[in-house]
Amino acid sequence: MSPASVNAHLAFTGYLGRRLHMGVCGSVAAYKALDLLRRFKDTGADTGVTLTDSACQFITPLSFEALGASPVYTGMYPVGDDVFGHLTPGDACHAFLIAPATAATLARLACGLADDMLSCQALAFEGPLVIAPAMNPRMWNNPATQENWARLKQRGHVAVEPGCGRMACMDVGQGRLADLDTIFLYTLRAMTPQDMTGQQVMVTLGPTREQWDGVRFWSNPSSGVMGACFAVAAWLRGAQVHAVCGPATPWLPADITRHDVTGAAQMYQAAADLWPRMDTGIFTAAVADFSPEPFGAEKFKKSGTETLSIRFTPNTDILKTLGTAKRENQRIVGFAAETGNLHENAVGKLRRKNADMIVGNIVGTPESGFQSATNKVFVADKTGRTEEWPVQPKTEVAWRILDWLLQM
């Protein structure tokens, strides 16, 4: 996978007009909040920050201001005219993230205390509260901390469990701040209108590998980024997502049910098992149409061989087979990766596969297709509507396709 596409499925940018507030507590992990701030600013969201007194011992308010956070709060009492700063996040923000959250802050939140600016703001905030703790494993495992954590989860707050590993103090166990991708996505989901709540969505993504001998296989350069964009976008919007993933496809958040497969037969079986209970199927995977007749488990030796002929047998056409079995209330989006005659081939595939929508693109260019962070697509649906979109991030393509589906 090219460096440009490694995290391309997480680079959503459609949050202009949304607002987030971040709380930062006194932990060695406080510096990681700067990376989170950068990522939220990249989405287009306006972001404010509140640092506790302890957090200011680890990192300065100026660091957040320099990265564009506004406003930035510290002490309990206001400086200047902002006498209602403890209420501002509750008046203006779509989500509130506390990362890292210390044991003291968990206790304040659990007990409803409001003796510093951050706890006041959290207590007055009626929207989604995302909490990502970080502390020493012994502090995390203390019964008092666990009781506070359980109470916060019972209240419906978005609880991002700390990770395991070696701490700054060299202790080993659970207590590390969770992976930033995880915190970022759970917070983004809290900021996103849940217009796909209750929907079951299946996405196939990546390549398949059709084994020939003990070390060789037939495949293609698909990275799975386009499908991963769909899986994450649908999950951000509230859907329950099943991702049928070919080899070497991108990381996905734990709430997306991942079904890892290797060959086309495995992908077909996994998709066929899931399909009867799905509302929508999005088939982005670059499935091998044919498989080589296997040589066997041993490595083929070229000694004395001047030429080589390999016979291929057809694989099940997953999109066509499941499209034929589609119920009236199910929707299918297929992809057409082409090297020419894009419009004609895409429209033809739409009819042949009994799909509701086909997204076609030309592969083999740096800005479109395999292993690219962007795509340039032609879209056609069963009503006869067609559109051609310019080069844009694959996250934006996925988001716009989901918008289109919701309108059909």
Side-chain angles (χ1 to χ4, degrees):
M1 192 180 299
S2 67
S5 63
V6 170
N7 287 314
H9 66 300
L10 309 182
F12 291 90
T13 58
Y15 288 80
L16 188 66
R18 310 297 287 179
R19 185 161 186 86
L20 169 71
H21 198 78
M22 294 175 59
V24 183
C25 303
S27 164
V28 173
Y31 75 94
K32 295 183 179 180
L34 294 172
D35 288 331
L36 285 169
L37 172 61
R38 288 189 186 95
R39 295 181 70 169
F40 290 121
K41 295 293 289 183
D42 286 345
T43 70
D46 291 326
T47 308
V49 176
T50 298
L51 292 90
T52 64
D53 290 343
S54 296
C56 292
Q57 299 298 312
F58 291 91
I59 195 164
T60 68
L62 182 60
S63 299
F64 292 91
E65 292 171 348
L67 292 178
S70 179
V72 176
Y73 298 98
T74 52
M76 177 68 171
Y77 299 102
V79 176
D81 297 330
D82 191 8
V83 295
F84 295 111
H86 62 299
L87 303 177
T88 299
D91 292 336
C93 293
H94 298 91
F96 197 136
L97 165 67
I98 303 178
T102 58
T105 294
L106 295 186
R108 288 188 179 96
L109 297 175
C111 295
L113 298 178
D115 59 348
D116 66 2
M117 179 61 93
L118 178 58
S119 58
C120 272
Q121 290 174 331
L123 194 63
F125 187 75
E126 296 179 333
L129 182 62
V130 183
I131 309 169
M135 65 194 73
N136 177 273
R138 285 173 284 173
M139 297 174 67
W140 172 250
N141 290 318
N142 187 283
T145 303
Q146 289 301 302
E147 288 174 12
N148 291 333
W149 186 238
R151 188 181 300 177
L152 293 170
K153 290 194 289 186
Q154 288 170 0
R155 291 177 188 161
H157 299 312
V158 181
V160 184
E161 296 279 337
C164 298
R166 189 171 68 178
M167 316 298 289
C169 61
M170 305 305 289
D171 283 354
V172 176
Q174 186 175 12
R176 292 170 59 93
L177 186 67
D179 178 81
L180 295 191
D181 286 343
T182 299
I183 298 171
F184 171 72
L185 287 179
Y186 277 97
T187 307
L188 214 59
R189 192 173 196 247
M191 297 169 61
T192 304
Q194 301 295 281
D195 55 2
M196 294 186 70
T197 297
Q199 294 195 32
Q200 297 276 348
V201 175
M202 178 181 71
V203 183
T204 68
L205 59 146
T208 62
R209 291 179 180 174
E210 314 307 317
Q211 204 70 33
W212 179 59
D213 71 355
V215 297
R216 300 175 180 90
F217 54 82
W218 175 261
S219 191
N220 59 68
S222 173
S223 63
V225 169
M226 189 70 254
C229 291
F230 274 104
V232 174
W235 174 76
L236 287 174
R237 297 172 73 154
Q240 293 185 333
V241 180
H242 288 261
V244 183
C245 303
T249 46
W251 171 90
L252 296 170
D255 277 359
I256 294 176
T257 304
R258 185 177 184 122
H259 308 262
D260 287 303
V261 300
T262 302
Q266 289 180 315
M267 182 169 284
Y268 166 69
Q269 191 60 58
D273 290 344
L274 290 167
W275 182 234
R277 61 182 188 272
M278 295 294 112
D279 298 300
T280 302
I282 302 174
F283 296 84
T284 72
V287 184
D289 294 325
F290 294 87
S291 293
E293 291 185 355
F295 173 77
E298 298 296 321
K299 178 182 177 181
F300 174 80
K301 299 294 185 180
K302 66 179 181 180
S303 301
T305 303
E306 297 296 331
T307 61
L308 177 65
S309 295
I310 302 175
R311 288 176 55 86
F312 285 80
T313 57
N315 291 321
T316 301
D317 187 325
I318 299 175
L319 178 57
K320 183 177 181 180
T321 302
L322 299 188
T324 301
K326 181 181 66 171
R327 299 190 307 270
E328 185 176 348
N329 63 339
Q330 289 179 308
R331 294 172 298 173
I332 281 182
V333 179
F335 266 68
E338 304 291 344
T339 56
N341 299 321
L342 179 61
H343 294 198
E344 179 182 344
N345 289 334
V347 171
K349 189 170 187 178
L350 176 71
R351 299 192 187 102
R352 292 194 309 275
K353 311 291 186 176
N354 195 33
D356 297 279
M357 182 185 297
I358 287 290
V359 184
N361 64 312
I362 297 293
V363 297
T365 67
E367 61 187 20
S368 177
F370 296 143
Q371 300 191 359
S372 172
T374 58
N375 218 345
K376 180 180 180 181
V377 301
F378 167 75
V379 188
D381 74 13
K382 64 180 182 180
T383 70
R385 175 183 170 188
T386 63
E387 291 187 8
E388 191 156 9
W389 297 347
V391 175
Q392 57 193 304
K394 287 182 174 178
T395 49
E396 181 65 17
V397 172
W399 204 273
R400 291 178 65 180
I401 291 295
L402 294 179
D403 285 343
W404 190 328
L405 275 177
L406 289 174
Q407 297 167 8
M408 287 183 68

